[in-house]
Amino acid sequence: MPASTRVLLPGLLAALVATGAAAQTPPSAPPLQGVLNLTASASVEVPRDVLVLTFAATRDGAEPAAVQAELKRALDAALAEARKASQPGQIDVSTGNFTLFPRYAPKGGVAGWQGRAEMVVQGRDVDGIGRLAGRITTMSVAGVAQRLSREAQRRVEGEVVAQAIERFRAQAGDIARLFGYQGYALREVTVSTGSDGERPLPMMRAEAMAASADAPLPVEPGKGTVTATVSGSVQMK
């Protein structure tokens, strides 16, 4: 084989490979034009209809087993009283945190043990929970909060979603016209809903409630917020 042919073959093979690779690579898609990303939201205030009470007992002693036993007795007595009033959805009872930890002396070493047990009572029967709080004697009220029930949230979700969608459509139309387009077409849309969480109440109210045995709970329902968010993209036309 002539020398010139041996020199040209590698270059020819490289050119053929490059040509084949180029033929297999799909053409890049043209950049999207006239696509607008938007987010719109709406919210509605609803009275918080669930009251949440946290009861707690604390004990201190030289031996961890003794402290734990005292906490268990206090918790068992409180649970027994609370279960008498328990009604699903109206008054729900559950245990909370149960902690036991050492107490150290200033010069080092364990000087004793401390513990804390909690019980949580929550529901829509505000008056019933208030009366129950006065009958719990082995634990004290450590926290008071309000929140929205799932039922209350669902009652207004349709309304707030409709408001958010209307705002999304209005924004899309207004912005499209500002850019010189006649209208728009939806590309993709995501709708989500939610509500704010628990709202703690001042402990002054908790102390007053604990002192009012068998009396209506001195707490006024606060307002919760149900929110809907619509996000997505439109093709301006």
Side-chain angles (χ1 to χ4, degrees):
M1 181 178 295
S4 60
T5 304
R6 289 195 299 269
V7 173
L8 290 175
L9 276 177
L12 179 60
L13 288 173
L16 289 174
V17 171
T19 303
Q24 294 175 3
T25 303
S28 58
L32 294 175
Q33 295 183 350
V35 174
L36 178 64
N37 295 315
L38 287 173
T39 298
S41 61
S43 60
V44 173
E45 286 191 338
V46 183
R48 290 186 174 94
D49 58 340
V50 175
L51 182 68
V52 183
L53 297 189
T54 301
F55 294 84
T58 58
R59 296 292 186 271
D60 194 333
E63 297 296 331
V67 174
Q68 179 174 317
E70 290 183 15
L71 288 173
K72 186 177 182 302
R73 282 193 293 269
L75 178 60
D76 287 344
L79 285 171
E81 185 64 38
R83 284 167 179 158
K84 296 176 184 177
S86 177
Q87 301 177 35
Q90 299 300 312
I91 301 179
D92 294 313
V93 182
S94 63
T95 56
N97 295 324
F98 195 109
T99 57
L100 189 65
F101 50 90
R103 176 169 46 82
Y104 294 97
K107 295 183 179 181
V110 176
W113 291 82
Q114 293 177 328
R116 176 185 171 96
E118 293 180 351
M119 179 183 70
V120 180
V121 177
Q122 59 183 318
R124 293 190 293 270
D125 187 354
V126 174
D127 291 341
I129 293 175
R131 290 190 295 270
L132 173 61
R135 298 196 299 271
I136 302 295
T137 58
T138 59
M139 305 183 86
S140 59
V141 177
V144 184
Q146 292 175 325
R147 65 174 176 83
L148 279 176
S149 67
R150 182 57 183 161
E151 292 77 12
Q153 180 176 336
R154 286 175 177 169
R155 281 195 295 269
V156 298
E157 275 185 349
E159 173 188 350
V160 72
V161 166
Q163 291 181 11
I165 291 175
E166 185 61 30
R167 291 180 183 179
F168 183 93
R169 296 176 59 186
Q171 287 184 25
D174 292 343
I175 295 175
R177 284 189 291 272
L178 288 173
F179 276 108
Y181 292 87
Q182 297 300 315
Y184 67 90
L186 288 174
R187 287 173 54 86
E188 58 181 17
V189 176
T190 300
V191 179
S192 60
T193 60
S195 63
D196 51 4
E198 290 185 358
R199 175 181 177 268
L201 298 181
M203 280 306 300
M204 180 177 63
R205 294 186 179 182
E207 293 169 358
M209 177 187 57
S212 58
D214 297 327
L217 187 68
V219 174
E220 296 180 1
K223 295 286 187 178
T225 304
V226 178
T227 303
T229 300
V230 180
S231 58
S233 61
V234 301
Q235 177 70 56
M236 294 183 289
K237 302 171 63 177

